Amino acid sequence: MGRNWSKKSRRTAVGAVRRSGAPLALTLAVSLLGLTACGGDGDGGSDSPSASGSGSEQPPQGPDRLGPAPSAVPSVRQWKAVRGPGWQRTDRTRVVPGSDSLRDEAKLLADELKVPVAKGPSRTGDIELKRGEDGGKSPGGKVNGGPESYRLVSSDGKITITGGGDAGVFYGTRTLLQTWRAQGRFAEGTVADAPDRPQRGFSLDIARKNFSADWIKARIREMGDLKLNQLQLHLSDDQAFRVESETHPEIVSDPHLTKAQVRDIVGLAASRHITVIPEIDSPGHLGAVLKAHPELQLRSASGATPRGAIDISKPAAAKLVDELLVEFADLFPGKWAHAGGDEYQALMTENPEQTYPGLAKKAREEFGDKATVQDLATAWLNDRASTLDKQGKIPQVWNDGMHRGGVVKPNKPREVAYWTGREAGERQPSEYLKEGWKIVNLNDEYLYYVLGQPNNFTYPTGRRIYEEWTPAVVRGTDPVPDKWAGRDRILGGRFAVWGDLADAQTTGQVARGIRLPLAATAQKLWDPQRPERSWDDFVKLVDKVD
């Protein structure tokens, strides 16, 4: 995950209320009847794009004027302004859920706007939430729907949000809330909106640096407003194991999250349609586990003990890690789990077979005379992925756990989290894509916030992400060919915080440091097209909707 490449260079108002996450094919055609490809808070012309500038946010001055486009981060994909007074919160405003499944979304929005939840029918001034097949579709029906799509109609002083699913309804409430914070109203018109990528997230290393449950929950609320839908928690590393374990309490570090705290975090995330993805990294980055189980420590021919490397030739090593994977499968009930696989020290030596003859011997015994240590490591990750698959999880693994050639091949199902192109036997993203693997983009050139900036890392800026990065830019600064860049191949991405030098920043400094990069990442995962709004205007927008 980009921490140990020390020998290699990496880089060649109203809004006083404070803020307390299924694949989707979205076709945005320039010729859509009556829609504009915009999403800013500019002064909307009748059919002209209005996402390009900060524009005017004054209410219309007469019946022949159009109000401003929504103020939202990420920007809405389509907005059609029409003449009319728009919507404002009044003493009579209520939030009216159209079904029991939407009561949570209704209550959250009502609390944020300080208005009541009520039963229908809806009336002037109300906000009606409902599900329907037309969620996210344009009036002409040319924008495909899906669970994360929504359609927001502001008409005759009332707001109606129709989502393809509960998540779509929730995202519609975020657009309404942010616009209300920025403008104090919502202009007359229609939003048709949906994300470009199904996986949009934030990855947090809680092993090397302790982040409190409250800090994590604050980020979840921030992520919800940004329409991000995944939170990956890196639970274990050489420094610590940060979640309570009943199967192996001896490995748990202090401070750590209790299971009750984790359930609270998972529950809050679910209320924002965010899936929490646990990562128990192996066969490297297990120093905290090995401190309690030194008998499982990998040793070289000379007796050296590479930090964090477990001896994958020992059945007891696999048993311990699998017990943890199974235990945490229920604690984190989402559909994904991360098995790690990166930076196994045995594969980072010039001659693994000579340096670790025990691993080489085991590889030949298991897989034949041509097998190497690489094959044994591939088999290890295959087995961990199979354990997760049996628990109903989709395994994700780091790309440097996926090796070229060899006797043993990576198994399926799995998704590849691509972060680096500087591993031994480095492989271009296109190589994985040609082999049919689906990728989640964690490009360390743009998306890695590594505390202390070791090994030539520098803190990423939101401006670089906003102006240069897209989901297709998986490695370095160049995008993969267009034929590999679709949402069916590159599923999305995550912005990541790593605690290499844990004391380099306080948790408050981290929160402030990642605020704009996280917002920029959310923008580009929702809509990867080059933004028409300048970076300076985007920053102003983030400040307005916060």
Side-chain angles (χ1 to χ4, degrees):
M1 288 144 322
R3 284 91 67 204
N4 294 332
W5 302 113
S6 57
K7 294 183 179 179
K8 300 182 179 181
S9 174
R10 234 193 104 253
R11 299 191 57 182
T12 2
V14 172
V17 181
R18 307 304 296 168
R19 80 173 65 136
S20 315
L24 172 65
L26 177 63
T27 303
L28 296 175
V30 174
S31 61
L32 284 180
L33 178 62
L35 286 171
T36 61
C38 74
D41 42 288
D43 189 8
S46 61
D47 284 320
S48 60
S50 55
S52 59
S54 58
S56 170
E57 292 180 352
Q58 297 301 314
Q61 299 300 308
D64 295 330
R65 294 294 185 92
L66 299 174
S71 299
V73 178
S75 299
V76 301
R77 309 278 306 268
Q78 293 184 349
W79 161 249
K80 168 62 179 178
V82 297
R83 295 180 179 90
W87 171 90
Q88 295 186 49
R89 189 194 69 173
T90 71
D91 291 341
R92 290 173 51 83
T93 295
R94 309 172 305 165
V95 181
V96 180
S99 63
D100 288 342
S101 72
L102 297 174
R103 290 197 65 83
D104 289 344
E105 285 75 18
K107 185 179 185 307
L108 175 62
L109 180 63
D111 289 346
E112 292 165 325
L113 293 176
K114 296 184 177 179
V115 301
V117 175
K119 294 183 178 179
S122 60
R123 65 195 185 197
T124 300
D126 284 348
I127 303 159
E128 183 179 8
L129 310 181
K130 61 182 183 177
R131 291 180 55 166
E133 293 181 358
D134 60 338
K137 290 184 179 179
S138 68
K142 296 188 178 181
V143 175
N144 294 328
E148 293 190 306
S149 69
Y150 69 93
R151 186 167 180 246
L152 187 157
V153 178
S154 174
S155 178
D156 297 326
K158 187 177 81 171
I159 297 287
T160 302
I161 299 173
T162 304
D166 290 2
V169 174
F170 173 72
Y171 295 148
T173 69
R174 299 305 90 190
T175 294
L176 172 60
L177 179 67
Q178 289 185 336
T179 301
W180 177 78
R181 286 171 175 163
Q183 301 180 19
R185 60 188 301 276
F186 203 102
E188 199 95 351
T190 297
V191 170
D193 204 11
D196 183 77
R197 303 289 156 151
Q199 296 191 34
R200 310 177 305 281
F202 173 49
S203 179
L204 179 64
D205 174 8
I206 67 171
R208 280 172 291 189
K209 184 174 182 65
N210 179 60
F211 291 89
S212 70
D214 286 344
W215 192 96
I216 296 171
K217 289 191 289 185
R219 302 290 76 70
I220 288 171
R221 295 184 183 100
E222 184 178 358
M223 291 172 64
D225 278 6
L226 293 173
K227 303 183 177 75
L228 297 171
N229 64 4
Q230 291 180 337
L231 171 62
Q232 177 184 339
L233 294 179
H234 182 74
L235 306 180
S236 64
D237 215 298
D238 299 336
Q239 290 80 357
F241 191 98
R242 294 285 187 190
V243 175
E244 176 187 357
S245 171
E246 294 166 359
T247 61
H248 289 282
E250 75 280 1
I251 71 172
V252 179
S253 308
D254 283 322
H256 63 268
L257 298 174
T258 66
K259 286 192 172 182
Q261 288 175 315
V262 171
R263 293 187 185 99
D264 190 33
I265 287 168
V266 170
L268 178 65
S271 75
R272 268 68 174 174
H273 298 275
I274 296 169
T275 300
V276 184
I277 302 174
E279 181 196 354
I280 298 176
D281 200 353
S282 76
H285 297 286
L286 286 172
V289 172
L290 294 172
K291 183 177 180 181
H293 290 275
E295 73 279 6
L296 300 179
Q297 170 71 55
L298 178 65
R299 287 174 168 78
S300 71
S302 65
T305 54
R307 188 180 189 188
I310 203 166
D311 189 337
I312 59 177
S313 70
K314 295 183 176 181
K319 181 176 182 293
L320 187 155
V321 174
D322 279 349
E323 287 171 348
L324 293 170
L325 294 176
V326 172
E327 177 182 2
F328 289 118
D330 289 335
L331 186 61
F332 297 91
K335 64 188 291 188
W336 293 275
H338 204 299
D342 67 307
E343 296 181 329
Y344 187 46
Q345 294 297 310
L347 296 178
M348 299 174 72
T349 60
E350 186 174 348
N351 190 329
E353 284 67 42
Q354 183 178 5
T355 306
Y356 299 99
L359 297 184
K361 180 175 182 292
K362 183 67 172 180
R364 292 191 298 270
E365 291 174 353
E366 293 287 332
F367 307 111
D369 292 342
K370 294 184 179 180
T372 66
V373 174
Q374 173 186 300
D375 294 300
L376 196 64
T378 298
W380 168 277
L381 202 55
N382 284 351
D383 290 344
R384 307 295 77 75
S386 294
T387 296
L388 293 173
D389 183 43
K390 291 174 184 176
Q391 299 301 310
K393 308 295 185 184
I394 298 174
Q396 293 186 340
V397 304
W398 296 113
N399 67 287
D400 50 329
M402 300 274 290
H403 309 292
R404 181 188 293 114
V407 174
V408 180
K409 307 298 182 184
N411 62 3
K412 293 183 178 182
R414 71 173 66 180
E415 295 169 357
V416 181
Y418 196 104
W419 70 275
T420 186
R422 290 168 171 78
E423 76 278 16
E426 61 188 88
R427 304 173 68 192
Q428 292 283 345
S430 293
E431 187 173 342
Y432 297 92
L433 295 166
K434 288 176 184 178
E435 293 175 1
W437 300 106
K438 296 184 178 182
I439 283 179
V440 181
N441 187 333
L442 286 94
N443 184 344
D444 66 349
E445 175 71 24
Y446 292 95
L447 305 179
Y448 262 37
Y449 193 98
V450 184
L451 296 187
Q453 306 182 103
N455 304 328
N456 296 311
F457 281 100
T458 58
Y459 293 128
T461 68
R463 183 169 198 151
R464 282 194 76 214
I465 297 169
Y466 187 78
E467 295 180 345
E468 301 176 16
W469 180 81
T470 73
V473 182
V474 181
R475 169 180 173 171
T477 60
D478 297 324
V480 300
D482 288 345
K483 63 181 178 179
W484 305 119
R487 66 194 309 276
D488 59 328
R489 301 278 188 160
I490 301 174
L491 303 173
R494 292 198 278 275
F495 184 85
V497 169
W498 297 106
D500 290 44
L501 301 176
D503 295 332
Q505 288 190 342
T506 66
T507 57
Q509 288 173 320
V510 174
R512 292 189 293 273
I514 68 174
R515 178 173 172 266
L516 289 174
L518 196 62
T521 303
Q523 173 65 44
K524 299 302 284 288
L525 287 169
W526 193 265
D527 184 354
Q529 300 302 314
R530 178 178 291 277
E532 295 185 31
R533 178 183 283 107
S534 71
W535 169 249
D536 289 341
D537 284 343
F538 180 77
V539 173
K540 294 175 183 177
L541 177 62
V542 173
D543 290 339
K544 290 177 183 177
V545 304
D546 193 355

